[in-house]
Amino acid sequence: MGSRFEDLNLTPTQTEWFCRGLMDLAGSDGVHESEQEIIEEFCASSDLDEAAVARLSALGFSASEAKAHLQGRALDAFMTTCFVLAYADGQLSDIEGARLQSYANDFGYDAAQFEQAHDDARAFLISSLAKEIKNHALLREIGAAIGLSES
């Protein structure tokens, strides 16, 4: 997720909580095909096979329990990735926004940290698009639509 988290190495336990949280968020308003692809990509890159993913899915997710395992940069990466996942179907729904705020509350994540994760996700999405779209006016328009300023 950009250079900010490139050197982050999650422990197996952190990876499992990450996966469980992504599945929980995606399921909050119905799993979209794009969300499923992101989750599958994360799990595959983390060496979680289908049986492991099914087991983790059955366990569900509790941010208050995950708090013991996701802290510092791992928590920042988790929250940022959750925002990216929420935008995967084209919009951050009210249900996803409420779920993300609930996670933030349970993790003790303050408003500034929450907004930073949201900003990091939007910047990541725009930079990903910029690699494919060379129309800079369109990129500015997309950025403005998701709440990014040019500064």
Side-chain angles (χ1 to χ4, degrees):
M1 180 118 355
S3 60
R4 183 165 178 224
F5 301 117
E6 276 181 18
D7 64 343
L8 181 65
N9 292 310
L10 298 175
T11 67
T13 300
Q14 289 172 321
T15 298
E16 290 184 0
W17 280 106
F18 223 97
C19 182
R20 290 168 67 178
L22 294 176
M23 289 187 289
D24 180 71
L25 178 62
S28 67
D29 68 346
V31 180
H32 186 273
E33 174 181 324
S34 298
E35 293 170 328
Q36 187 63 38
E37 288 174 10
I38 289 172
I39 294 168
E40 288 173 359
E41 188 177 306
F42 173 78
C43 292
S45 71
S46 302
D47 295 325
L48 294 172
D49 61 21
E50 286 184 37
V53 172
R55 179 183 59 79
L56 294 173
S57 181
L59 292 172
F61 180 76
S62 163
S64 58
E65 291 178 35
K67 182 178 181 176
H69 306 284
L70 297 176
Q71 300 172 356
R73 290 183 63 233
L75 176 56
D76 294 339
F78 173 74
M79 291 297 293
T80 300
T81 304
C82 283
F83 274 110
V84 169
L85 180 74
Y87 279 113
D89 61 0
Q91 67 178 358
L92 173 65
S93 73
D94 290 342
I95 293 169
E96 290 166 325
R99 183 68 54 97
L100 286 165
Q101 188 59 63
S102 172
Y103 291 173
N105 294 342
D106 288 348
F107 282 118
Y109 221 53
D110 66 33
Q113 291 170 303
F114 187 78
E115 199 52 42
Q116 182 65 54
H118 196 181
D119 287 347
D120 287 348
R122 291 182 286 202
F124 171 79
L125 292 168
I126 288 295
S127 70
S128 295
L129 284 174
K131 293 175 186 172
E132 302 298 323
I133 299 174
K134 300 306 177 200
N135 181 334
H136 292 214
L138 177 60
L139 286 171
R140 282 191 294 279
E141 188 177 317
I142 293 168
I146 62 171
L148 285 177
S149 67
E150 290 191 45
S151 55

